[in-house]
Amino acid sequence: MSSDSDHQCPVDGAVDQQEMIPSKKNAVLVDGVVLNGPTTDAKAGEKFVEEACRLIMEEVVLKATDVNEKVCEWRPPEQLKQLLDLEMRDSGEPPHRLLELCRDVIRYSVKTNHPRFFNQLYAGLDYYSLVARFMTEALNPSVYTYEVSPVFLLVEEAVLKKMIEFIGWKEGDGIFNPGGSVSNMYAMNLARYKYCPDIKEKGLSGSPRLILFTSAECHYSMKKAASFLGIGTENVCFVETDGRGKMIPEELEKQVWQARKEGAAPFLVCATSGTTVLGAFDPLDEIADICERHGLWLHVDASWGGSALMSRKHRKLLHGIHRADSVAWNPHKMLMAGIQCCALLVKDKSDLLKKCYCAKASYLFQQDKFYDVSYDTGDKSIQCSRRPDAFKFWMTWKALGTSGLEERVNRALALSRYLVDEIKKREGFKLLLEPEYANICFWYIPPSLREMEEGPEFWAKLNLVLQFIDHENVCVPPTLGAWKKTWLLVFSINPTIFG
């Protein structure tokens, strides 16, 4: 008989090192591949991660947020191709070379967390969101079923519930999507499904000519969504806006009546809360009245302006948003949750999202699991694999609290007011209009043009000058008449400026 010592089990976590490395004798070989051999050098990989994290901390978190550093070491495309080693080779490259490549990537990238980055509608660095992103990248989850992503599904549910409260709904539904453009597309398809549910199974062949209405200053994703969904861009009616870029309700109702007269089927109105260029907020209450009279789904694209809901001082900008059927809201913009962090929120609580998008994949969404399958939210999405984007916002919200997020909004709009006042004091700067949000639209007029009369020649020369200024150049909307062929500067203020 053998003694007990001959069969001692290893302590938890301890593994016989000889068992980890297969000998030639016990190697499992298939098609010339050793299946039970090492696939990667774990020690080298761990060391690379450690050194890369140190590089990120030094060159991105610390250095790139220094106002004395450059926002970007700009190079033209062809020159940048020569500076970067972009070629993928047959053999792998050593860790020290990979770290050099990482350093080059950081060096020549735009530092969107820099205090002087004023380009698109996002900027700044939120440390808590950054840590959340590190965690999710390391865990590499996919948010479709509770069994594979229990924590992140509960986090998403909690965040959506809180955002729904700020809209003013007693209950609702929602899902995080990869971008506000996708949220708008989801809403358009959801409105169409509500109006004509047979389209999901039978397609467009027997459907009426569907028409939707949106502001002339809407985001371009509305046209893309109409094209992608087969509605057609010609069936997107752009409603005239006033001098501030707001949809004119009377013009909306005229277009609805005209569409009905032509035999079309209106089904959706998309209002905008915070347009991309002027930062305009459409009059939601008046638009909601029209939608109720005509039985139209009201979607509010608040991707940019939705964060004002966090501020008791500024939430009046979205007065009437509680009457919407769906809302797109991007916390990655003013609330700095990190790209991408975008929610579609729906007032309906009858599982409309799931009915519209589900495919009932039996290998994934079994109904006889060992837990409450209502937490398997993947069938609300057109995606299968989905990132836990809500976690970034949740971590920031937990760190700052609602009051901290409110202060972030208030600070951004106070900084906007400060910039407007400074523009008015300085010669050569011309404010386009008084902003109601964080979009500051102005021209810089060089000395050579300041005495010139405003006419075609003036605007042509000004247009040439402003194309060389290193900030966002945005074409003025057509509603601004004589200015439409010039370029103006648009600053989108974020809460980290001067801080």
Side-chain angles (χ1 to χ4, degrees), residues 320-395:
I321 196 169
H322 65 284
R323 299 177 65 186
D325 295 292
S326 58
V327 175
W329 177 0
N330 293 1
H332 76 226
K333 296 184 186 293
M334 187 171 287
L335 297 177
M336 301 166 58
I339 290 177
Q340 294 168 321
C341 189
C342 313
L344 172 68
L345 306 154
V346 183
K347 185 187 289 184
D348 176 89
K349 193 57 181 169
S350 69
D351 258 351
L352 190 67
L353 259 177
K354 190 171 183 178
K355 292 172 186 174
C356 179
Y357 290 108
C358 72
K360 298 179 181 178
S362 59
Y363 68 90
L364 191 58
F365 302 112
Q366 303 96 337
Q367 298 303 297
D368 58 351
K369 293 181 181 180
F370 54 93
Y371 58 85
D372 181 356
V373 294
S374 67
Y375 287 98
D376 290 355
T377 60
D379 242 0
K380 293 179 183 180
S381 170
I382 60 172
Q383 298 171 255
C384 181
S385 300
R386 192 165 63 89
R387 297 172 62 88
D389 291 327
F391 183 61
K392 294 176 284 191
F393 189 29
W394 178 83
M395 185 69 85

Side-chain angles (χ1 to χ4, degrees), residues 139-201:
L139 289 167
N140 197 32
S142 183
V143 186
Y144 42 67
T145 62
Y146 182 82
E147 65 198 274
V148 297
S149 194
V151 174
F152 296 118
L153 275 168
L154 294 181
V155 165
E156 183 175 63
E157 179 188 56
V159 172
L160 289 169
K161 182 179 179 182
K162 202 70 175 176
M163 295 175 79
I164 284 167
E165 287 178 14
F166 274 88
I167 289 174
W169 299 334
K170 292 182 179 179
E171 58 180 4
D173 199 358
I175 196 162
F176 274 77
N177 299 308
S181 295
V182 175
S183 292
N184 288 336
M185 184 185 73
Y186 268 53
M188 188 180 295
N189 193 45
L190 197 61
R192 182 175 67 176
Y193 176 78
K194 177 76 171 177
Y195 181 83
C196 192
D198 287 347
I199 286 179
K200 179 179 178 180
E201 295 182 354

Side-chain angles (χ1 to χ4, degrees), residues 213-219 222 238-242 244-249 252 269-276 278-288 298-302 305 315-321 436-437:
F213 308 88
T214 188
S215 159
E217 305 298 336
C218 74
H219 192 260
M222 298 308 296
F238 295 100
V239 181
E240 185 181 347
T241 58
D242 62 19
R244 296 195 60 85
K246 300 172 182 284
M247 185 191 293
I248 302 172
L252 168 63
V269 173
C270 177
T272 308
S273 288
T275 58
T276 305
L278 298 180
F281 287 73
D282 289 338
L284 300 181
D285 254 337
E286 296 171 70
I287 293 171
L298 174 57
H299 172 64
V300 178
D301 179 7
R315 62 177 294 118
K316 60 189 177 185
L317 290 167
L318 297 102
H319 181 72
I321 196 169
E436 64 175 339
Y437 199 46

Side-chain angles (χ1 to χ4, degrees), residues 104-157:
D104 286 342
V105 167
I106 294 170
R107 178 182 178 184
Y108 295 112
S109 291
V110 177
K111 315 304 186 296
T112 64
N113 50 0
H114 194 283
R116 297 295 181 264
F117 174 76
F118 298 109
N119 197 258
Q120 267 70 43
L121 305 180
Y122 68 95
L125 174 63
D126 180 85
Y127 299 101
Y128 310 103
S129 168
L130 180 62
V131 169
R133 282 181 275 172
F134 286 160
M135 289 175 63
T136 55
E137 289 300 320
L139 289 167
N140 197 32
S142 183
V143 186
Y144 42 67
T145 62
Y146 182 82
E147 65 198 274
V148 297
S149 194
V151 174
F152 296 118
L153 275 168
L154 294 181
V155 165
E156 183 175 63
E157 179 188 56

